[in-house]
Amino acid sequence: MFKLTGTIVSNPIDVSKKHKKQSSWKAIAIVQFKDDFCDYYRWFIKREFGLYLNPPLRGSHITVVNDRLSDINGDIMDIDGIEIDVYYDPNNIRCNGEHWWINIESEDVKNVRETLDLPKDPYYGLHLTIGHATGINLDICEYSRIYSLNRDKLKYYDL
């Protein structure tokens, strides 16, 4: 397992229409990393599959809170600026035919969520999105997903 350290940013700048539309009833907090983590793993995927992935809108980050304001007990601004450690296995890259991510583990994130009376794990689980495919790359992405699921059987090449 490798370790990354990031900082919680509460209510980050709206970068999508969806975020702007939901900002009146939803709270968002992310662990932001000041590095090129996503670029690095997108490069591996490009090299392995010839697949170009669009980067996440907010760069390398993990979503800590993406919940209704009414479900949160406390002020989300109280967690702003907290440093968080996360751990990941670089051989555990996942995709669903469009999005690529790495599952992460973090007691720090679970503790922060618990202090806000939220379930320890977010709805989509703890993960760091690497990127997503669009257009013609979706076909390549589906092939890559199937290949990566069977990679252990093929014994071909590790990322």
Side-chain angles (χ1 to χ4, degrees), residues 110-129:
K110 290 179 181 186
N111 291 337
V112 165
R113 288 184 58 81
E114 194 171 40
T115 63
L116 297 171
D117 285 340
L118 295 170
K120 282 189 174 188
D121 289 315
Y123 182 76
Y124 287 110
L126 294 175
H127 68 280
L128 199 156
T129 302

Side-chain angles (χ1 to χ4, degrees), residues 46-59:
K46 173 85 170 145
R47 189 177 95 185
E48 174 74 9
F49 302 116
L51 173 63
Y52 174 79
L53 296 176
N54 294 314
L57 289 174
R58 291 193 172 97

Side-chain angles (χ1 to χ4, degrees), residues 22-27 65-74 116-118:
Q22 296 176 347
S23 63
S24 64
W25 58 270
K26 188 183 258 189
V65 177
N66 188 15
D67 299 271
R68 293 180 174 275
L69 288 166
S70 59
D71 293 342
I72 297 172
N73 184 12
L116 297 171
D117 285 340
L118 295 170

Side-chain angles (χ1 to χ4, degrees), residues 39-112:
D39 296 337
Y40 181 72
Y41 283 96
R42 280 197 324 278
W43 176 84
F44 275 115
I45 291 166
K46 173 85 170 145
R47 189 177 95 185
E48 174 74 9
F49 302 116
L51 173 63
Y52 174 79
L53 296 176
N54 294 314
L57 289 174
R58 291 193 172 97
S60 298
H61 75 281
I62 296 168
T63 303
V64 177
V65 177
N66 188 15
D67 299 271
R68 293 180 174 275
L69 288 166
S70 59
D71 293 342
I72 297 172
N73 184 12
D75 186 359
I76 194 168
M77 295 306 289
D78 290 343
I79 64 172
D80 200 49
I82 294 175
E83 286 207 350
I84 298 288
D85 292 332
V86 301
Y87 299 88
Y88 71 96
D89 177 355
N91 294 313
N92 197 8
I93 296 174
R94 301 281 182 224
C95 83
N96 64 2
E98 181 179 354
H99 294 89
W100 289 71
W101 69 91
I102 295 179
N103 290 333
I104 61 108
E105 296 176 18
S106 176
E107 286 303 314
D108 291 346
V109 170
K110 290 179 181 186
N111 291 337
V112 165

